[in-house]
C-alpha cells in the first residue's frame, strides 16, 4: 500500500484540488494522511470530507514525520498541498520506482501557469536535478518525494530543526547511502503562488543561494534568506514573559521558549533569583523582580521557615514588583503574558485583564490525576494549594512532562515533551568514568560524606566551589564545563528537579534520584523515573544502594533507549497557537471597549 502524506496549514483553497486529483487516479491502493498545523480555516473539514486520516502537524518537517508515524503503507509519498497529480501519476511513479529498485525518488515539475518564464524556470529545475542526481541527490521543494517507510525510519525522518531546505536535506541524506533517481515519466503540476508572492527574480535568488550552500555542505535558515512560508504574522506580538527564580529549571526552559518567541515577537522578561542572572546574560529587556525562595536544611524543604521568610518580605516585594510590572506593562502594552510559575505575573494579568498562558512542569500536580502513595497525599494537598495561589485561571496550561498522566480538563490542558536547550540536543554522549552529581541546595552535607566513602569519581555541582577532595571534584557552575561533564558521565545523581532529569533521559544517562523531602513534584518525578526503568528513587543515598544502582546501569540504559524527543517542535507550535488565539480575543475585546468609550464621548 502507498501512504500519501500532506502537511497543511490553512490550505482550504488548494487542498481540494490535490485531493480530487488523487481520487481521480486509477490506482486505488493508497491512504491519505493530512498532518495539519492547527489550521484556522476549513482545511481539516475538507480533509475529513475526502476520507483522509487527519493528525496534528506543525512545521512541514514535523507534519511529514507525524504523518509517517501513523502510515500503514510500505511506500511513502510526500506531497505539498498546492500540487495536483497528473493523470496516471500514482501508478506511473510506483512502477518506475519499483522497476528501478529505488529507495528514494523525486518527481519532475510542471507549473500551473501560461507564463513562458515560469515554464523555462521549471524546465531548468528539472534538467538540473537530473544532471546532478548521480553526484548530489537534490530536490527543488517537497513535490513528490517517494520512498519506503523502513528507509524513512532508518533516516529518522525529516530534520525538524531546519526551517528551510529540510526536503533537500532529507533527499541528500538518504541518497548518499541508498539508490536515488529523478523519476522520468510521472509529472506533478504545482502552483506558482510562491513565484507570484516573492517575484521570479527574488525567489530564483533565494533558491540559488540555498542550492549553493547545499552543494558546499552548509545549512542555511529561512531567516538568513529573509524567506517565510506564508505563516508569519504581519504584526509582531508583544509578550511579557515572567519566570520563577527558584532553582535553574524554570530559567533554562524559559530561555529556550523566549529564544523561539523572539524570532517573530517582541518579548520583555521578568525574573528573580538565579533566573534573572541566567536570563540577563542571554537576552536584552530582562527586569529583576523579588520573589520567595524555599529554605532548605539537609535535603528537606523547610516550609515553616519558608513561610515566615515570605511573610516578612512580602509587603516590600509586593509593592516593588507590582509597581515595576504595572509600569512596564503600561508602557510596553503586552498582548499576552506567559508565566513559568511566577506569581506576580498572575496578579498583573488580573489587574490589567491581559490573557495569561501558564507554561511549566509543576502544574502536573494540580491538572493531572496522579497515583501517589498515601504517605505523600498531605504534602500533595499543601503543594496544590500553593500552586493554585501562584497561578490561577490562566487561559490554558501547557505542561511539560515525561510520563503523561491522565488530564483532568482536556479543554484547557495540554501535555508536551520536556523543553530541552539546544546545547543539550547537540551533545554526543559517551559513558565515561565519573558520576555527575547535581544538588539544588548546598546544605546536604551528609550526601558528600557518603560519596567520599564510595570507590567512584564524582563531579559535583551545586556547592558553589572549585575544590578537589580525593574522589570528589567540586565545580562552580559554568555552562560549558557542565555540558562536558554531563556529556561524558556514566550516570547522574540528582534531586527530583525536572530539567536535569529530562536532560539525563535525552542523553541516556541512568538517574539516581533523591528528591527534596516535602516537595511532591520532585517525589512524583522520582517515582516515574523508577516506574519507567530509567533509574532509581531513594530518600537517602547509601554506599550499598548506590553500588547496587551502578551494577544495573546497562539495564537502565536499555530502558532509556526508548525515550524519544521532538526537539521542542510541538510545544513551540502550541505556544504560537495559544498566543495567536488569546491575544486576538484580547485585542477584539479591547477594541470593543475603546469603541464604546469613544461612542460615549462623542454622544456627550
Amino acid at each position: 500500500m502507498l501512504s500519501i502524506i500532506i502537511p497543511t496549514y490553512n490550505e482550504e483553497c488548494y487542498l481540494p484540488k490535490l485531493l480530487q486529483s488523487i481520487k481521480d487516479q486509477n490506482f486505488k491502493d493508497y491512504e491519505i494522511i493530512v498532518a495539519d498545523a492547527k489550521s484556522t480555516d476549513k482545511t481539516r473539514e475538507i480533509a475529513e470530507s475526502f476520507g483522509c486520516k487527519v493528525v496534528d502537524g506543525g512545521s512541514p518537517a514535523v507534519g511529514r514525520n507525524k504523518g509517517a508515524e501513523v502510515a500503514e503503507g510500505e511506500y511513502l509519498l510526500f506531497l505539498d498541498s498546492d500540487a495536483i497529480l497528473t493523470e496516471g501519476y500514482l501508478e506511473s511513479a510506483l512502477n518506475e520506482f519499483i522497476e528501478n529498485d529505488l529507495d528514494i525518488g523525486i518527481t519532475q515539475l510542471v507549473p500551473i501557469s501560461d507564463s513562458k518564464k515560469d515554464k523555462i524556470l521549471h524546465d531548468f529545475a528539472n534538467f538540473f536535478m537530473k544532471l546532478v542526481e548521480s553526484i548530489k541527490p537534490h530536490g527543488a521543494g517537497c513535490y513528490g518525494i517517494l520512498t519506503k517507510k523502513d528507509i524513512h525510519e532508518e533516516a529518522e525522518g525529516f530534520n525538524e530543526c531546519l526551517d528551510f531546505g529540510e526536503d533537500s536535506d532529507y533527499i541528500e541524506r538518504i541518497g548518499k547511502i541508498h539508490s536515488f533517481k529523478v523519476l522520468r515519466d510521472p509529472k506533478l503540476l504545482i502552483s506558482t503562488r510562491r513565484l507570484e508572492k516573492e517575484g521570479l527574480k527574488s525567489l530564483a535568488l533565494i533558491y540559488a543561494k540555498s542550492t549553493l550552500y547545499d552543494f558546499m555542505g552548509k545549512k542555511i535558515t529561512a531567516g538568513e534568506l529573509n524567506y517565510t512560508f506564508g505563516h508569519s504574522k504581519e504584526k509582531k506580538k508583544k509578550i511579557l514573559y515572567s519566570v520563577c527564580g527558584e532553582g535553574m529549571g524554570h530559567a533554562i526552559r524559559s530561555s529556550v521558549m523566549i529564544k523561539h518567541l523572539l524570532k517573530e515577537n517582541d518579548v520583555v522578561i521578568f525574573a528573580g533569583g538565579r533566573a534573572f542572572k541566567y536570563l540577563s546574560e542571554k537576552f536584552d529587556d530582562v527586569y529583576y523582580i523579588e520573589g520567595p525562595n524555599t529554605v532548605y536544611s539537609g535535603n528537606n524543604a523547610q516550609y515553616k521557615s519558608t513561610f515566615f521568610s515570605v511573610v516578612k518580605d512580602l509587603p516590600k516585594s509586593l509593592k516593588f514588583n507590582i509597581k515595576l510590572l504595572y509600569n512596564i506593562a503600561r508602557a510596553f502594552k503586552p498582548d499576552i503574558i506567559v508565566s513559568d510559575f511566577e506569581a506576580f505575573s498572575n496578579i498583573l494579568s488580573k489587574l490589567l485583564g491581559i490573557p495569561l498562558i501558564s507554561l511549566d512542569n509543576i502544574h502536573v500536580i494540580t491538572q493531572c490525576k496522579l497515583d501517589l502513595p498515601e504517605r505523600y497525599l498531605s504534602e500533595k494537598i499543601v503543594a496544590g494549594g500553593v500552586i493554585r495561589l501562584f497561578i490561577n485561571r490562566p487561559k490554558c496550561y501547557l505542561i511539560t512532562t515525561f510520563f503523561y498522566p491522565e488530564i483532568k480538563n482536556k479543554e484547557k490542558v495540554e501535555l508536551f515533551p520536556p523543553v530541552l536547550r539546544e546545547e543539550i540536543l547537540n551533545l554526543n554522549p559517551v559513558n565515561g568514568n565519573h558520576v555527575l552529581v547535581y544538588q539544588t541546595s548546598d546544605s546536604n552535607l551528609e550526601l558528600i560524606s557518603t560519596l567520599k566513602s564510595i570507590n567512584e569519581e564524582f563531579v559535583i555541582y551545586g556547592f558553589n566551589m572549585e575544590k578537589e577532595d580525593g574522589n570528589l571534584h567540586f565545580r562552580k557552575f559554568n555552562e560549558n564545563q557542565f555540558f562536558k561533564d554531563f556529556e561524558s558521565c556514566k550516570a547522574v545523581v540528582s534531586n527530583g528537579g525536572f530539567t536535569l532529569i529530562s536532560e539525563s533521559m535525552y542523553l541516556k544517562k541512568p538517574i539516581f534520584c533523591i528528591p527534596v523531602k516535602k516537595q511532591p513534584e520532585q517525589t512524583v518525578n522520582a517515582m516515574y523515573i523508577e516506574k519507567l526503568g530509567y533509574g532509581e528513587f531513594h530518600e537517602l543515598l547509601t554506599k550499598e544502594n548506590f553500588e547496587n544502582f551502578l551494577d544495573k546501569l546497562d539495564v537502565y540504559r536499555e530502558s532509556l533507549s526508548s525515550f524519544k524527543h521532538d526537539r521542542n517542535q510541538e510545544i513551540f507550535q502550541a505556544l504560537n497557537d495559544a498566543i495567536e488565539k488569546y491575544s486576538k480575543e484580547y485585542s477584539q475585546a479591547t477594541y470593543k471597549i475603546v469603541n464604546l468609550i469613544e461612542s460615549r464621548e462623542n454622544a456627550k
Side-chain angles (χ1 to χ4, degrees):
M1 186 170 73
L2 174 68
S3 296
I4 302 171
I5 299 165
I6 309 165
T8 59
Y9 178 79
N10 288 350
E11 296 290 357
E12 64 180 5
C13 294
Y14 290 93
L15 186 61
K17 298 174 184 176
L18 171 58
L19 296 180
Q20 187 61 51
S21 73
I22 296 173
K23 186 177 179 181
D24 292 341
Q25 297 286 306
N26 292 328
F27 180 88
K28 298 297 182 184
D29 188 19
Y30 63 78
E31 64 173 349
I32 306 174
I33 302 166
V34 171
D36 185 64
K38 296 186 179 179
S39 293
T40 56
D41 63 3
K42 296 181 180 179
T43 297
R44 282 186 174 238
E45 291 91 328
I46 291 167
E48 289 166 356
S49 72
F50 275 86
C52 303
K53 185 186 296 183
V54 181
V55 297
D56 289 336
S59 67
V62 170
R64 293 177 194 129
N65 287 340
K66 289 201 169 186
E69 284 177 13
V70 301
E72 297 179 15
E74 178 186 357
Y75 300 98
L76 306 179
L77 174 63
F78 296 101
L79 296 171
D80 278 354
S81 55
D82 56 354
I84 297 176
L85 305 192
T86 53
E87 184 178 353
Y89 173 89
L90 293 180
E91 186 173 9
S92 174
L94 266 177
N95 284 344
E96 186 173 343
F97 187 87
I98 294 169
E99 287 171 4
N100 286 274
D101 195 23
L102 299 179
D103 293 308
I104 185 166
I106 58 172
T107 309
Q108 297 185 73
L109 314 175
V110 178
I112 306 172
S113 170
D114 294 327
S115 167
K116 289 184 179 180
K117 288 183 180 179
D118 291 347
K119 291 179 180 179
I120 291 171
L121 178 65
H122 286 83
D123 284 345
F124 176 76
N126 292 332
F127 168 77
F128 181 76
M129 290 188 297
K130 288 184 287 185
L131 180 68
V132 300
E133 67 180 356
S134 61
I135 56 172
K136 183 75 172 178
H138 186 72
C142 189
Y143 294 109
I145 297 179
L146 182 58
T147 189
K148 300 173 183 174
K149 184 169 182 179
D150 60 345
I151 298 293
H152 172 88
E153 291 173 346
E154 179 188 330
E156 298 185 347
F158 289 83
N159 187 339
E160 297 176 4
C161 292
L162 298 178
D163 61 2
F164 189 90
E166 77 290 336
D167 35 28
S168 292
D169 170 77
Y170 179 79
I171 293 165
E172 182 179 343
R173 283 190 289 113
I174 295 177
K176 274 184 178 178
I177 55 176
H178 293 287
S179 55
F180 164 80
K181 182 184 177 184
V182 179
L183 302 178
R184 298 313 198 249
D185 188 37
K187 302 292 191 298
L188 195 63
L189 299 174
I190 64 164
S191 165
T192 58
R193 60 173 171 170
R194 294 177 189 174
L195 277 172
E196 292 162 4
K197 178 184 175 184
E198 303 287 340
L200 176 60
K201 182 178 179 181
S202 175
L203 197 63
L205 287 172
I206 286 171
Y207 278 97
K209 185 175 180 180
S210 71
T211 301
L212 177 62
Y213 269 65
D214 188 28
F215 272 73
M216 292 168 62
K218 298 179 179 179
K219 302 300 179 190
I220 191 166
T221 67
E224 290 171 315
L225 291 168
N226 195 27
Y227 182 76
T228 65
F229 295 94
H231 301 175
S232 60
K233 285 64 176 179
E234 291 182 3
K235 181 183 176 183
K236 284 187 175 183
K237 293 287 187 293
K238 293 184 177 182
I239 301 165
L240 192 155
Y241 208 112
S242 204
V243 185
C244 174
E246 179 84 5
M248 286 296 293
H250 302 280
I252 289 170
R253 173 173 49 241
S254 296
S255 71
V256 178
M257 302 309 297
I258 290 167
K259 183 179 178 181
H260 165 71
L261 290 175
L262 281 168
K263 293 176 183 178
E264 294 188 0
N265 307 279
D266 293 325
V267 183
V268 166
I269 306 159
F270 290 90
R274 294 165 67 191
F276 172 77
K277 183 176 186 299
Y278 181 81
L279 294 172
S280 62
E281 291 173 353
K282 294 178 178 293
F283 305 106
D284 298 325
D285 299 319
V286 182
Y287 295 87
Y288 179 79
I289 53 175
E290 298 177 353
N293 287 297
T294 305
V295 177
Y296 296 95
S297 177
N299 198 41
N300 287 268
Q302 301 294 314
Y303 282 121
K304 186 175 180 180
S305 300
T306 300
F307 174 77
F308 284 119
S309 174
V310 170
V311 169
K312 176 185 174 185
D313 296 334
L314 184 60
K316 179 183 175 183
S317 62
L318 183 63
K319 182 179 179 181
F320 173 83
N321 289 345
I322 293 300
K323 183 177 180 180
L324 175 66
L325 283 161
Y326 184 82
N327 289 336
I328 296 293
R330 288 295 299 269
F332 182 56
K333 296 181 174 59
D335 299 296
I336 203 92
I337 298 173
V338 180
S339 179
D340 194 316
F341 200 56
E342 198 290 303
F344 291 102
S345 59
N346 179 67
I347 298 172
L348 183 71
S349 167
K350 306 302 181 284
L351 282 176
L352 298 180
I354 303 170
L356 176 70
I357 296 170
S358 171
L359 194 161
D360 58 37
N361 66 287
I362 201 100
H363 274 94
V364 74
I365 298 291
T366 59
Q367 301 303 316
C368 296
K369 297 179 181 179
L370 302 173
D371 185 20
L372 281 174
E374 190 172 342
R375 69 180 184 274
Y376 296 119
L377 291 181
S378 60
E379 295 175 12
K380 179 179 179 292
I381 292 169
V382 173
V386 173
I387 292 168
R388 290 185 180 91
L389 183 64
F390 267 52
I391 304 291
N392 59 78
R393 293 183 290 111
K395 290 293 184 180
C396 64
Y397 297 92
L398 308 181
I399 301 174
T400 57
T401 182
F402 60 87
F403 50 87
Y404 299 94
E406 183 181 351
I407 296 170
K408 293 179 181 178
N409 183 355
K410 293 182 180 179
E411 292 184 2
K412 290 191 69 172
V413 180
E414 288 186 85
L415 303 181
F416 302 92
V419 173
L420 300 180
R421 44 191 158 167
E422 188 175 345
E423 294 89 343
I424 293 293
L425 294 172
N426 292 334
L427 292 180
N428 296 305
V430 295
N431 296 319
N433 296 318
H434 68 274
V435 175
L436 181 74
V437 181
Y438 189 95
Q439 292 291 288
T440 302
S441 166
D442 60 4
S443 62
N444 193 3
L445 300 179
E446 184 179 354
L447 172 67
I448 299 303
S449 177
T450 305
L451 294 178
K452 198 165 185 181
S453 69
I454 299 172
N455 187 28
E456 293 287 341
E457 297 296 314
F458 296 96
V459 176
I460 303 171
Y461 285 85
F463 289 81
N464 196 33
M465 60 179 174
E466 291 281 341
K467 181 181 176 182
E468 301 292 325
D469 184 7
N471 64 327
L472 308 184
H473 312 278
F474 292 89
R475 301 265 199 273
K476 284 187 177 180
F477 188 77
N478 174 288
E479 212 167 31
N480 291 331
Q481 183 61 51
F482 175 77
F483 291 143
K484 291 178 182 178
D485 292 331
F486 200 0
E487 182 180 45
S488 59
C489 72
K490 65 180 178 182
V492 171
V493 175
S494 80
N495 302 122
F498 181 79
T499 297
L500 185 66
I501 286 173
S502 303
E503 293 177 343
S504 300
M505 290 176 184
Y506 179 78
L507 297 175
K508 317 304 181 194
K509 306 293 185 182
I511 308 152
F512 189 101
C513 195
I514 322 162
V516 174
K517 294 174 182 176
K518 299 180 182 178
Q519 290 257 16
E521 182 257 335
Q522 292 204 8
T523 301
V524 169
N525 291 339
M527 285 173 52
Y528 277 95
I529 285 170
E530 189 160 280
K531 185 175 181 179
L532 293 167
Y534 296 163
E536 297 181 11
F537 164 26
H538 294 279
E539 294 187 350
L540 187 70
L541 185 148
T542 66
K543 187 174 188 292
E544 182 181 3
N545 65 24
F546 190 73
E547 288 176 346
N548 288 337
F549 163 76
L550 291 177
D551 288 339
K552 293 182 279 187
L553 292 186
D554 287 340
V555 175
Y556 299 136
R557 286 174 187 141
E558 179 65 26
S559 297
L560 284 162
S561 66
S562 66
F563 179 79
K564 305 296 181 185
H565 195 267
D566 69 342
R567 302 184 74 92
N568 308 320
Q569 294 305 307
E570 190 177 355
I571 196 167
F572 283 168
Q573 185 65 50
L575 183 58
N576 290 347
D577 293 340
I579 289 170
E580 183 68 15
K581 177 181 178 180
Y582 297 116
S583 64
K584 185 179 292 184
E585 290 178 4
Y586 173 59
S587 297
Q588 289 170 348
T590 303
Y591 292 146
K592 287 180 181 177
I593 294 170
V594 170
N595 290 335
L596 180 61
I597 293 171
E598 288 179 349
S599 63
R600 287 183 177 179
E601 289 294 324
N602 292 335
K604 291 178 181 179

